[in-house]
């Protein structure tokens, strides 16, 4: 099956800085990429859906100017958390398809 | 997103027993119902999925039962093993399982006692 990788697997940053998370789909043409967020001991919540070459669609309550998504190619999508704050600390997971999920990126904002 | 309700929140089963997790949904437009297994610090992994045109699907020790009229579906894990200890999520989507994102249940923390 398809392999989805994320980089970094974990990151710690200071409040106010920006963090970029990369999601690569190997052996899979990801025309669509779903980004989820999972707070500790909670469920996954869909943040946004991106389509290759076009703007992402954000779920209600997710700030599009804070969570910048770029899906420039069929194998790479990036999520940039801008001006991160402690409440953004979470586990971010990408998924090109309901069958495949990335291993996740743990973000901790101090 | 429409809600998917999952129960129980936690479950303890003896080794060799049957683990049963239930979910209910509201949105009748949902047409794809997968179950995922997640270990701590890892992304979820697809276990098994069903579409509303069938009432049951079995893959190995995992079975999904689907009741369209009641808008409920459940996961049965037969001969549960300690390695099955994990968090399980049900989910639902419309769009054939590919076009739309997933709405997840809140998860069930399953512990299999040896």
């Amino acid at each position: 099956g398809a392999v989805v990788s994320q980089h970094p697997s974990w990151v710690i940053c200071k409040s106010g800085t920006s963090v970029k998370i990369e999601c690569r789909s190997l052996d899979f043409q990801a025309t669509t990429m779903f980004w989820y967020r999972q707070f500790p001991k909670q469920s996954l919540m869909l943040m946004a859906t991106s389509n290759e070459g076009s703007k992402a669609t954000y779920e209600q309550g997710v700030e599009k100017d804070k969570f910048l998504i770029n899906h420039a190619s069929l194998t790479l999508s990036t999520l940039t958390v801008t001006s991160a704050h402690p409440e953004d600390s979470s586990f971010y997971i990408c998924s090109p398809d309901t069958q495949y999920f990335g291993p996740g990126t743990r973000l901790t904002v101090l | 997103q429409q809600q998917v309700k999952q129960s129980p929140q936690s479950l303890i089963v003896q080794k060799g027993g049957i683990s049963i997790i239930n979910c209910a949904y509201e949105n009748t437009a949902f047409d794809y119902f997968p179950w995922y297994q997640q270990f701590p610090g890892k992304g979820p992994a697809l276990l098994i999925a069903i579409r509303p045109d069938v009432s049951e699907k079995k893959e190995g020790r995992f079975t999904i039962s689907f009741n369209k009229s009641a808008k409920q579906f459940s996961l049965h894990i037969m001969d549960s093993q300690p390695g099955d200890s994990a968090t399980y999520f049900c989910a639902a989507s419309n769009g054939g399982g590919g076009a739309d994102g997933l709405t997840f249940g809140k998860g069930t923390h399953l512990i299999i006692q040896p």
Side-chain angles (χ1 to χ4, degrees):
Chain A
V3 175
V4 183
S5 67
Q6 286 184 234
H7 178 80
S9 57
W10 60 270
V11 57
I12 302 173
C13 70
K14 293 182 179 180
S15 184
T17 60
S18 295
V19 174
K20 179 184 285 188
I21 300 170
E22 292 186 348
C23 174
R24 295 183 184 275
S25 60
L26 311 176
D27 301 323
F28 189 92
Q29 301 288 296
T31 55
T32 301
M33 189 67 75
F34 302 102
W35 284 92
Y36 295 88
R37 178 168 56 182
Q38 185 177 30
F39 292 108
K41 298 190 183 302
Q42 294 190 26
S43 187
L44 286 81
M45 295 292 292
L46 180 65
M47 297 176 64
T49 302
S50 69
N51 292 294
E52 187 260 338
S54 62
K55 290 185 178 180
T57 302
Y58 292 81
E59 296 298 308
Q60 190 173 10
V62 178
E63 300 175 57
K64 63 178 182 176
D65 294 329
K66 182 173 185 61
F67 299 98
L68 303 179
I69 293 174
N70 184 283
H71 193 164
S73 76
L74 293 175
T75 59
L76 175 63
S77 178
T78 61
L79 167 66
T80 300
V81 183
T82 63
S83 186
H85 288 94
E87 58 265 31
D88 299 323
S89 298
S90 189
F91 195 50
Y92 292 87
I93 308 168
C94 63
S95 170
D97 181 89
T98 55
Q99 295 186 68
Y100 310 112
F101 283 79
T105 296
R106 172 74 60 193
L107 170 63
T108 301
V109 185
L110 302 177
Chain B
Q1 287 182 314
Q2 297 295 322
Q3 189 177 20
V4 175
K5 296 181 180 180
Q6 183 172 344
S7 63
Q9 186 175 353
S10 61
L11 180 62
I12 299 174
V13 174
Q14 295 296 315
K15 178 182 176 182
I18 303 173
S19 303
I20 302 174
I21 305 171
N22 301 296
C23 282
Y25 63 97
E26 299 171 356
N27 186 352
T28 55
F30 286 147
D31 61 1
Y32 180 70
F33 303 89
W35 284 90
Y36 297 90
Q37 179 189 59
Q38 186 180 34
F39 292 104
K42 306 294 184 183
L46 177 65
L47 277 176
I48 187 172
I50 199 168
R51 298 190 186 277
D53 53 344
V54 297
S55 60
E56 186 174 282
K57 183 175 181 181
K58 182 176 180 179
E59 290 184 0
R61 297 186 294 113
F62 303 97
T63 300
I64 296 180
S65 296
F66 186 82
N67 186 328
K68 187 175 181 178
S69 60
K71 293 187 287 185
Q72 295 175 347
F73 58 111
S74 61
L75 174 69
H76 294 225
I77 305 175
M78 312 300 287
D79 186 26
S80 299
Q81 299 296 312
D84 297 329
S85 297
T87 300
Y88 292 80
F89 293 96
C90 63
S93 75
N94 50 2
D100 290 354
L102 292 159
T103 299
F104 282 85
K106 295 197 172 199
T108 296
H109 183 52
L110 174 65
I111 296 173
I112 307 300
Q113 290 187 332

